[in-house]
Amino acid sequence: MQNYPILLTATENYVPFATCLITSIIYNTNKIVGGGQNKPYCFYILSDFLSKSTQEKLSKLQAKLSIIYPLEITIHLCDDAEFRENNLPKLNENYLCFYRLLFERFLDFSAQKVLYLDVDMIVLWDLREIFAMDLEDKVCGVVLDYKANRLLMPKDESHPPLNLSQGYFNSGLLLIDVQKWRAQEIESQILHSMDSYHFKEHDQSILSYILKDKVKILPLYWNVLVYYFINAKTKEEGGNFNISYTRNQLNNALKNPKIVHYYLDYKPWRDDKIYVDTKGEFLGKYWWDIAQKTPVFTDELMRLKESASQARVFQAALGFLLLKFARFGLYFLLPIQAYWIMKKGLDNQASQEIPRGDYNLSIEISKEAIKAYNKGKGRLLALPFRILNLQKRFQLAKKRLEGL
């Protein structure tokens, strides 16, 4: 392998977040461990448009980060035509999520492996380790996604519905054997499949369909979704489990994540806290620590900090106040309190600091309270039971994390 190729997709507005990810990779690469063979990272940024000024800033970023560890940044502008013609659903008003499916058109032919990463991630480990993993006879290394019903519906009656629930993976991280991908003509299969099925979850649905039985399941710590820190039940715990990993594997990932994935709406540039991890740190802190070190784009990123720090102040305070009522056994007052606070606000109580150990539960309680308020009297009356169930779930999760 001549270098470590990494694929990223980013719009003009998302480039600063991509540079934060790149910076986290560079800062967590141990030059000493490389044994003098510090082969460069080669970042391929796939986009629909990047202004000249942004491209110049990326060039400056490359120069500054190369002082720490060698890297190259290459930009490829892609055409949406193939995706528009097949009426594929847009994500965030664009087709960028599908660009990774065409990576072999941009990649050096001699490449053996390529790693795709979503830009809403932060790397906390030496990423060269994942490139050294043996994929055996598989096309791709992946981390399994949340367990849910994933039904692929056909565009016409000539194809049957397909259940992808078993083995469905998160496409935010893909370690691809390039030679096998090309030999098995995966891109051709992908393009052909676009005529056959509706891909509700965009590229993730396509890849889980095409690569079924062609993937190696990687350890969970390589792609830890932030929601796992507050809601994860493993397969051996029975019932409605949502994680297809063992409890030991989940605990290891939560305690020692190598990549944190701020997926869906859990973006640290919008909410600088998100949730508290097993070490008592806000998950957003890891991202902001790197944002401050990101060359060239530092000021642009840090301008988002003030609004991000205020993102869920009211929700956290609301949830914490209701939690205190619950701990005193005053469950019958919760509907009244929730309604009154939603109507009148919290005044000075919103600025109080919430103990880290209570933060996650407070946020989840506030979600239930806000939902109950918006849905009306019936849902409000059920609020005490929902909060009690949350308390029980969090207590059980704590015991499982501690191995009790």
Side-chain angles (χ1 to χ4, degrees), residues 77-112:
L77 301 181
C78 305
D79 188 356
D80 292 339
E82 287 170 289
F83 311 119
R84 287 197 307 270
E85 291 168 4
N86 285 282
N87 295 316
L88 291 179
K90 290 183 178 181
L91 179 63
N92 300 322
E93 302 303 317
N94 61 65
Y95 291 104
L96 257 73
C97 64
F98 296 106
Y99 289 0
R100 75 193 80 175
L101 306 177
L102 310 179
F103 75 86
E104 63 176 285
R105 302 180 186 185
F106 315 109
L107 201 63
D108 189 298
F109 197 78
S110 64
Q112 298 173 17

Side-chain angles (χ1 to χ4, degrees), residues 17 226 262 264-276 282-288 304-316 359-360 363-364 366-367:
F17 311 134
V226 292
Y262 303 100
L264 298 179
D265 294 326
Y266 301 100
K267 306 299 187 225
W269 51 88
R270 296 178 190 149
D271 172 13
D272 72 343
K273 299 177 183 65
I274 302 178
Y275 292 118
V276 174
F282 287 118
L283 288 167
K285 181 180 183 297
Y286 300 110
W287 190 89
W288 282 104
L304 302 172
K305 185 70 167 76
E306 184 176 354
S307 62
S309 68
Q310 298 300 312
R312 292 200 291 184
V313 170
F314 172 78
Q315 291 93 320
Y359 187 84
N360 293 350
I363 288 293
E364 294 307 290
S366 74
K367 287 181 182 179

Side-chain angles (χ1 to χ4, degrees), residues 143-370:
V143 174
L144 295 175
D145 200 52
Y146 255 108
K147 181 182 177 293
N149 291 324
R150 308 292 172 92
L151 195 62
L152 208 58
M153 299 306 295
K155 289 186 175 180
D156 57 58
E157 295 181 357
S158 64
H159 297 88
L162 296 175
N163 191 337
L164 301 180
S165 301
Q166 188 71 26
Y168 193 85
F169 57 84
N170 184 280
S171 63
L173 179 144
L174 304 167
L175 180 63
I176 300 169
D177 185 316
V178 179
Q179 305 304 321
K180 286 187 174 65
W181 180 284
R182 285 180 169 140
Q184 297 183 34
E185 299 182 336
I186 300 299
E187 182 185 308
S188 177
Q189 293 183 51
I190 287 171
L191 294 176
H192 179 72
S193 72
M194 292 177 185
D195 296 327
S196 308
Y197 286 93
H198 295 286
F199 295 106
K200 183 180 178 181
E201 292 188 297
H202 309 90
D203 64 296
Q204 189 162 278
S205 296
I206 295 176
L207 288 167
S208 288
Y209 166 51
I210 296 296
L211 296 179
K212 190 174 178 65
D213 302 323
K214 297 178 182 178
V215 296
K216 177 175 180 176
I217 307 305
L218 303 180
L220 182 59
Y221 51 62
W222 282 115
N223 186 0
V224 182
L225 306 182
V226 292
Y227 197 56
Y228 291 163
F229 286 89
I230 58 98
N231 188 12
K233 188 176 182 183
T234 61
K235 57 185 179 182
E236 79 262 36
E237 289 158 3
N240 295 320
F241 70 93
N242 54 15
I243 305 289
S244 296
Y245 286 88
T246 66
R247 170 50 60 176
N248 285 340
Q249 290 169 334
L250 173 63
N251 286 354
N252 188 26
L254 295 179
K255 292 176 182 178
N256 304 288
K258 295 187 176 181
I259 297 178
V260 174
H261 191 173
Y262 303 100
Y263 79 132
L264 298 179
D265 294 326
Y266 301 100
K267 306 299 187 225
W269 51 88
R270 296 178 190 149
D271 172 13
D272 72 343
K273 299 177 183 65
I274 302 178
Y275 292 118
V276 174
D277 71 0
T278 61
K279 300 178 180 69
E281 291 284 1
F282 287 118
L283 288 167
K285 181 180 183 297
Y286 300 110
W287 190 89
W288 282 104
D289 284 349
I290 291 295
Q292 293 182 71
K293 300 176 183 177
T294 302
V296 186
F297 292 85
T298 312
D299 292 344
E300 192 172 340
L301 291 167
M302 296 310 295
R303 281 197 292 270
L304 302 172
K305 185 70 167 76
E306 184 176 354
S307 62
S309 68
Q310 298 300 312
R312 292 200 291 184
V313 170
F314 172 78
Q315 291 93 320
L318 165 63
F320 186 52
L321 184 59
L322 295 178
L323 175 60
K324 288 193 289 185
F325 270 82
R327 284 177 172 165
F328 279 111
L330 302 174
Y331 289 95
F332 67 97
L333 289 178
L334 291 175
I336 300 170
Q337 280 295 320
Y339 180 83
W340 183 258
I341 293 170
M342 291 295 295
K343 273 284 190 184
K344 300 295 184 179
L346 278 167
D347 298 324
N348 296 329
Q349 295 184 63
S351 62
Q352 68 175 309
E353 186 166 342
I354 297 168
R356 297 287 177 92
D358 292 327
Y359 187 84
N360 293 350
L361 179 53
S362 297
I363 288 293
E364 294 307 290
I365 287 175
S366 74
K367 287 181 182 179
E368 287 294 343
I370 293 169

Side-chain angles (χ1 to χ4, degrees), residues 34-57:
Q37 300 179 10
N38 293 315
K39 294 175 288 190
Y41 290 108
C42 186
F43 295 96
Y44 295 83
I45 298 181
L46 312 183
S47 185
D48 52 356
F49 166 82
L50 292 183
S51 66
K52 183 179 178 181
S53 62
T54 294
Q55 295 190 41
E56 289 173 351
K57 288 167 73 175

Side-chain angles (χ1 to χ4, degrees), residues 103-122:
F103 75 86
E104 63 176 285
R105 302 180 186 185
F106 315 109
L107 201 63
D108 189 298
F109 197 78
S110 64
Q112 298 173 17
K113 287 179 184 173
V114 64
L115 178 67
Y116 169 81
L117 295 175
D118 276 352
V119 297
D120 57 354
M121 290 176 155
I122 206 76

